Amino acid sequence: MTCEDADLLLHALVDGELDAGHAREVERHLASCPRCAAALAELRALRSALQDVPLRREAPAALRSRIEAALPQPRSRPAPTDRRTLLKGFAFGSVFSGAIAATALVLLVRSDRGQRMHGDLVSAHLRSLQGTRLTDVETSDRHTVKPWFNGRLDLAPPVVDLTAKGFTLLGGRLDYLDGKPVAAIVYKRRRHVVNLFVEPSSAADTSPGVSTLQGFNIRHWSDGGLAFWAVSDIAADELAEFASVFDAARRTPEAA
Amino acid sequence: MQGRRDDDDSGTAGRFRALALPHLDEVYTLARHLLRDAADADDATQDCFLRALRHFETFRGDDIRPWLFAILRNVCRGARQPSREVGVADEPTDDAAPLWSDARETPEGEMLRRRDADAVRALVDALPLAFREVIVLREINDLSYREIAEIVGVPVGTVMSRLARGRALLRTAWLGADQKEQTP
């Protein structure tokens, strides 16, 4: 290695950009060339002098608030005043308007539950991605996942292998939604994770449908006494495909 | 479903806020070094975030910072007045500056005197743009050679040589400033 080669590679060495083979070559050259060894020492001195001072600036507060104001606001929840107005109608209006207000209140409570549920679902999905606990039982064998939930939950979640359909089974996990334990079955499509939450369906279940929260798609449906929530960052149509292949596989006698 | 579109919009905006806003200080720091003017840096930073939101669907990957920096760099190139700064093409680039070892006319082992942040920033800002941007992206924004190459639009080898020459210029300027202070 010539000194000119080494001159460039010294920088890659201190920047941690050299593979082991090249790093060894540079180090061999340094061992026999005091001039390049001195250059390396000076380079390290410059880097540490630079790192000794906090060079990163803080954006001015005025700029920060200008940018925050210019970005669209995340949709605000129904304002509390809405509900107060409805209650006022209930308290002071006729029986008729009271009935309307009551209906509206039920709708409000329902959509509140739906929204809280969506928030819970996305949080649970994010937790599973960020933590070390994507699965409690990690296996692509559905015959292992299904019994694992026995005794941990009051329901037997259907677990099907969808590898042939492009969704690989990663495993299962016990999670909590709205304070209740639920089954989470984890699938993977390409580099994306799909969390399928399964709980006993209840009368309070929101109607089936698709929604988007914080960039995640949520697909909800109920069948045979079970409520399903699929959460992922894959596109909405891919999540629909997931739901339909899951349902189809679940109905085949072999999967029961 | 009515309001579906709103849901999508607020979902995207929410995700953008969560991903991009934490890097505001870093984007602003880079803008200050690229433009060397506080008011211009304010405008460029704001422009960068609005442009990034508009094109958010084109962002792919795990780390949003290189993408934001590339947008900022484009904004800055558009914003820079020709009168205020010569274009990159007119600036001394690769061969015009010495490599690291060639710049070592000073006695070996000479120590760099510690300087405060503003003094170091001034030394960095005195570098020609082509060297300044790779120095800031590497030393302050802590990006990899590959990320820098993508942002600047040059091969990794060019990033390496600009970094080597930029550091040589910086060290020479640093030692020069030290000497000036020692011999009033």
Side-chain angles (χ1 to χ4, degrees):
Chain A
M1 176 175 294
T2 66
C3 289
E4 199 177 323
D5 292 337
D7 202 46
L8 269 187
L9 292 179
L10 286 183
H11 294 264
L13 184 72
V14 300
D15 288 324
E17 296 263 355
L18 277 192
D19 59 65
H22 282 95
R24 265 198 304 277
E25 266 185 62
V26 176
E27 276 156 10
R28 255 203 306 276
H29 175 80
L30 290 170
S32 62
C33 177
R35 186 170 170 274
C36 285
L40 176 66
E42 282 163 12
L43 176 54
R44 291 215 160 109
L46 174 69
R47 292 212 74 208
S48 83
L50 279 171
Q51 279 158 10
D52 271 354
V53 278
L55 294 176
R56 197 166 289 182
R57 288 174 189 271
E58 222 170 272
L63 173 65
R64 182 177 289 274
S65 40
R66 231 163 65 207
I67 290 175
E68 287 193 350
L71 297 178
Q73 297 299 317
R75 199 152 69 128
S76 48
R77 279 160 229 137
T81 46
D82 290 351
R83 212 178 300 181
R84 264 206 300 280
T85 321
L86 284 168
L87 284 170
K88 227 190 257 169
F90 189 77
F92 299 108
S94 62
V95 175
F96 179 66
S97 74
I100 291 177
T103 317
L105 265 182
V106 171
L107 289 178
L108 257 187
V109 170
R110 281 197 167 201
S111 83
D112 270 6
R113 192 207 177 235
Q115 264 177 8
R116 193 177 61 230
M117 190 67 176
H118 286 170
D120 273 10
L121 283 161
V122 169
S123 307
H125 180 71
L126 283 172
R127 259 200 323 272
S128 78
L129 299 182
Q130 288 162 354
T132 48
R133 210 180 67 108
L134 179 60
T135 54
D136 288 329
V137 49
E138 185 184 340
T139 171
S140 57
D141 180 8
R142 64 188 181 85
H143 299 294
T144 309
V145 178
K146 200 177 154 82
W148 184 84
F149 286 107
N150 271 345
R152 291 184 167 86
L153 280 174
D154 290 340
L155 68 116
V159 181
V160 291
D161 183 7
L162 302 172
T163 308
K165 308 282 183 195
F167 298 94
T168 318
L169 179 63
L170 293 184
R173 177 180 84 245
L174 200 63
D175 215 315
Y176 287 85
L177 288 176
D178 210 8
K180 285 177 302 201
V182 298
I185 307 168
V186 189
Y187 290 91
K188 192 167 197 175
R189 161 146 254 184
R190 297 185 307 271
R191 290 172 62 204
H192 305 272
V193 168
V194 180
N195 265 298
L196 178 67
F197 299 95
V198 188
E199 61 171 357
S201 63
S202 67
D205 252 342
T206 46
S207 46
V210 197
S211 37
T212 306
L213 188 67
Q214 293 170 32
F216 295 98
N217 286 311
I218 303 168
R219 190 173 185 89
H220 173 52
W221 71 100
S222 309
D223 188 48
L226 294 174
F228 298 94
W229 308 83
V231 186
S232 180
D233 61 342
I234 60 175
D237 55 342
E238 278 187 292
L239 201 58
E241 184 193 332
F242 169 79
S244 79
V245 298
F246 178 85
D247 258 358
R250 189 165 65 89
R251 290 210 185 86
T252 61
E254 188 253 343
Chain B
M1 207 201 295
Q2 190 260 333
R4 176 72 203 288
R5 168 109 197 111
D6 286 352
D7 278 356
D8 284 357
D9 281 357
S10 69
T12 305
R15 207 158 75 92
F16 179 76
R17 277 170 178 273
L19 276 178
L21 274 185
H23 305 298
L24 174 58
D25 289 344
E26 280 186 87
V27 171
Y28 176 73
T29 301
L30 179 59
R32 283 292 296 264
H33 283 294
L34 291 182
L35 295 171
R36 302 191 288 205
D37 180 276
D40 287 353
D42 270 26
D43 291 346
T45 304
Q46 182 171 357
D47 207 2
C48 167
F49 275 85
L50 294 183
R51 240 192 246 194
L53 174 66
R54 271 204 302 282
H55 300 287
F56 189 38
E57 78 278 4
T58 65
F59 164 65
R60 298 277 179 277
D62 304 321
D63 188 0
I64 198 171
R65 296 183 313 140
W67 186 71
L68 286 175
F69 297 155
I71 295 175
L72 178 77
R73 187 174 180 274
N74 283 336
V75 169
C76 290
R77 284 163 71 90
R80 199 180 298 116
Q81 301 297 315
S83 61
R84 194 172 285 161
E85 175 145 27
V86 276
V88 181
D90 303 330
E91 292 208 341
T93 51
D94 304 0
D95 291 335
L99 274 174
W100 178 251
S101 307
D102 301 337
R104 297 166 53 243
E105 307 123 10
T106 47
E108 275 176 20
E110 183 164 347
M111 295 294 289
L112 296 170
R113 194 198 288 197
R114 272 208 63 161
R115 317 193 76 84
D116 64 24
D118 279 338
V120 175
R121 286 170 185 148
L123 290 173
V124 171
D125 281 351
L127 297 173
L129 180 62
F131 302 120
R132 190 164 79 235
E133 66 181 359
V134 295
I135 293 276
V136 174
L137 287 169
R138 175 64 215 146
E139 302 286 7
I140 303 179
N141 295 123
D142 204 27
L143 295 191
S144 72
Y145 287 5
R146 184 160 301 283
E147 287 167 326
I148 297 172
E150 275 169 28
I151 291 169
V152 179
V154 296
V156 169
T158 308
V159 171
M160 272 173 77
S161 79
R162 285 191 189 169
L163 205 47
R165 293 172 202 275
R167 281 170 171 160
L169 291 173
L170 184 60
R171 179 169 184 275
T172 306
W174 194 311
L175 288 172
D178 287 354
Q179 270 172 359
K180 227 184 280 170
E181 283 160 22
Q182 276 159 4
T183 52

Coordinates of all heavy atoms in Angstrom, one line a residue, chain A residues 49-57, chain B residues 33 112-124 170 174 177-178 181:
Chain A
A49 N -11.1 16.9 18.8 CA -11.3 18.3 19.1 C -12.7 18.8 18.6 O -13.3 19.6 19.2 CB -10.2 19.1 18.4
L50 N -13.1 18.2 17.4 CA -14.4 18.5 16.9 C -15.5 18.0 17.8 O -16.6 18.6 18.0 CB -14.6 17.9 15.5 CG -14.0 18.7 14.3 CD1 -14.0 17.9 13.1 CD2 -14.7 20.0 14.1
Q51 N -15.3 16.8 18.3 CA -16.3 16.2 19.1 C -16.4 16.7 20.5 O -17.4 16.5 21.2 CB -16.1 14.6 19.1 CG -16.7 14.0 17.9 CD -16.1 12.7 17.6 OE1 -15.4 12.1 18.4 NE2 -16.4 12.2 16.4
D52 N -15.4 17.5 20.9 CA -15.4 18.1 22.2 C -16.4 19.2 22.4 O -16.7 19.6 23.5 CB -14.0 18.6 22.6 CG -13.1 17.6 23.2 OD1 -13.6 16.5 23.5 OD2 -11.9 17.9 23.4
V53 N -16.8 19.8 21.2 CA -17.7 21.0 21.3 C -19.0 20.6 20.8 O -19.1 19.8 19.8 CB -17.1 22.2 20.5 CG1 -16.1 22.9 21.3 CG2 -16.5 21.7 19.2
P54 N -20.1 21.1 21.4 CA -21.4 20.8 20.9 C -21.7 21.6 19.7 O -22.1 22.8 19.8 CB -22.3 21.1 22.1 CG -21.5 22.1 22.9 CD -20.1 21.9 22.6
L55 N -21.6 21.0 18.5 CA -21.8 21.9 17.3 C -23.2 21.9 16.8 O -23.6 22.7 16.0 CB -20.9 21.3 16.2 CG -19.4 21.5 16.5 CD1 -18.5 20.8 15.4 CD2 -19.0 22.9 16.6
R56 N -24.0 20.9 17.3 CA -25.4 20.9 16.9 C -26.1 22.1 17.5 O -26.0 22.4 18.6 CB -26.0 19.6 17.4 CG -27.3 19.3 16.6 CD -27.7 17.8 16.9 NE -26.8 16.9 16.2 CZ -27.0 15.6 16.3 NH1 -28.0 15.1 16.9 NH2 -26.2 14.8 15.6
R57 N -26.9 22.7 16.6 CA -27.7 23.9 17.1 C -29.1 23.5 17.4 O -29.6 22.5 17.0 CB -27.7 24.9 16.0 CG -26.5 25.7 15.7 CD -26.7 26.5 14.5 NE -25.4 27.1 14.0 CZ -24.9 28.3 14.4 NH1 -25.6 29.0 15.3 NH2 -23.8 28.7 13.9
Chain B
H33 N -25.1 25.8 8.2 CA -23.8 25.6 7.6 C -23.9 25.7 6.1 O -22.9 26.2 5.5 CB -23.2 24.3 8.1 CG -22.7 24.3 9.5 ND1 -21.6 25.0 9.8 CD2 -23.0 23.6 10.6 CE1 -21.3 24.9 11.1 NE2 -22.2 24.0 11.6
L112 N -4.0 20.8 18.7 CA -5.0 21.8 18.4 C -5.6 22.4 19.7 O -5.9 21.7 20.6 CB -6.2 21.1 17.6 CG -5.9 20.5 16.3 CD1 -7.0 19.6 15.8 CD2 -5.5 21.5 15.3
R113 N -5.6 23.7 19.7 CA -6.1 24.4 20.9 C -7.6 24.2 21.0 O -8.3 24.3 19.9 CB -5.7 25.9 20.9 CG -5.9 26.5 22.2 CD -6.0 28.0 22.1 NE -4.7 28.6 21.8 CZ -4.4 29.9 21.9 NH1 -5.4 30.7 22.4 NH2 -3.3 30.3 21.6
R114 N -8.1 24.0 22.1 CA -9.6 23.8 22.3 C -10.2 25.2 21.9 O -9.8 26.2 22.3 CB -9.9 23.5 23.7 CG -9.9 22.0 24.0 CD -10.9 21.7 25.1 NE -12.2 22.0 24.7 CZ -13.3 21.5 25.3 NH1 -13.2 20.7 26.3 NH2 -14.5 21.9 24.9
R115 N -11.3 25.1 21.2 CA -12.0 26.3 20.9 C -13.5 26.1 21.2 O -14.0 25.0 21.3 CB -11.9 26.5 19.4 CG -10.5 26.3 18.8 CD -10.4 26.9 17.4 NE -10.2 28.3 17.4 CZ -9.1 28.9 17.6 NH1 -8.0 28.2 17.8 NH2 -9.0 30.2 17.7
D116 N -14.2 27.2 21.4 CA -15.6 27.1 21.7 C -16.4 26.8 20.4 O -15.9 26.9 19.3 CB -16.2 28.3 22.5 CG -16.1 29.6 21.7 OD1 -16.1 29.5 20.4 OD2 -16.1 30.7 22.3
A117 N -17.7 26.5 20.6 CA -18.5 26.0 19.5 C -18.6 27.0 18.4 O -18.4 26.7 17.2 CB -19.9 25.7 20.0
D118 N -18.7 28.3 18.8 CA -18.9 29.3 17.7 C -17.6 29.5 16.9 O -17.6 29.6 15.7 CB -19.2 30.7 18.3 CG -20.7 30.8 18.6 OD1 -21.5 30.0 18.0 OD2 -21.2 31.6 19.5
A119 N -16.4 29.3 17.6 CA -15.2 29.4 16.8 C -15.0 28.3 15.9 O -14.6 28.4 14.7 CB -14.0 29.5 17.9
V120 N -15.4 27.1 16.3 CA -15.3 25.9 15.5 C -16.2 26.0 14.3 O -15.9 25.7 13.1 CB -15.5 24.6 16.3 CG1 -15.5 23.4 15.3 CG2 -14.5 24.4 17.4
R121 N -17.5 26.5 14.6 CA -18.4 26.7 13.5 C -17.9 27.6 12.4 O -18.1 27.5 11.2 CB -19.8 27.2 14.0 CG -20.6 26.1 14.8 CD -21.7 26.8 15.5 NE -22.4 25.8 16.3 CZ -23.0 26.2 17.5 NH1 -23.0 27.4 17.9 NH2 -23.7 25.2 18.1
A122 N -17.2 28.7 12.9 CA -16.7 29.7 12.0 C -15.6 29.0 11.1 O -15.6 29.3 9.9 CB -16.2 30.9 12.7
L123 N -14.8 28.2 11.7 CA -13.8 27.5 10.9 C -14.4 26.6 9.8 O -14.0 26.6 8.7 CB -12.9 26.7 11.8 CG -11.9 27.4 12.7 CD1 -11.2 26.5 13.7 CD2 -10.9 28.2 11.9
V124 N -15.5 25.9 10.2 CA -16.2 25.0 9.3 C -16.8 25.8 8.2 O -16.7 25.5 7.0 CB -17.3 24.2 10.0 CG1 -18.1 23.4 9.0 CG2 -16.6 23.2 11.0
L170 N -9.5 22.1 7.2 CA -10.0 22.5 8.5 C -8.9 22.6 9.5 O -8.7 23.5 10.3 CB -11.1 21.6 8.9 CG -11.8 21.9 10.3 CD1 -12.5 23.3 10.2 CD2 -12.9 20.8 10.6
W174 N -7.4 25.7 11.5 CA -7.5 25.7 13.0 C -6.1 26.0 13.6 O -6.0 26.9 14.5 CB -7.9 24.2 13.4 CG -8.3 24.1 14.9 CD1 -7.6 24.5 16.0 CD2 -9.5 23.4 15.3 NE1 -8.3 24.1 17.1 CE2 -9.4 23.5 16.8 CE3 -10.5 22.7 14.7 CZ2 -10.4 22.9 17.6 CZ3 -11.5 22.2 15.5 CH2 -11.5 22.2 16.9
A177 N -5.3 29.7 13.0 CA -6.0 30.6 14.0 C -5.3 30.5 15.4 O -5.1 31.5 16.0 CB -7.4 30.1 14.2
D178 N -4.8 29.3 15.7 CA -4.1 29.2 17.0 C -2.8 30.0 17.0 O -2.5 30.7 17.9 CB -3.6 27.7 17.2 CG -4.8 26.8 17.6 OD1 -5.9 27.4 17.8 OD2 -4.7 25.6 17.6
E181 N -3.4 33.7 17.3 CA -3.7 34.1 18.7 C -2.4 34.1 19.6 O -2.3 34.9 20.5 CB -4.7 33.2 19.3 CG -6.1 33.5 18.8 CD -7.1 32.3 19.0 OE1 -6.8 31.5 19.8 OE2 -8.1 32.3 18.2

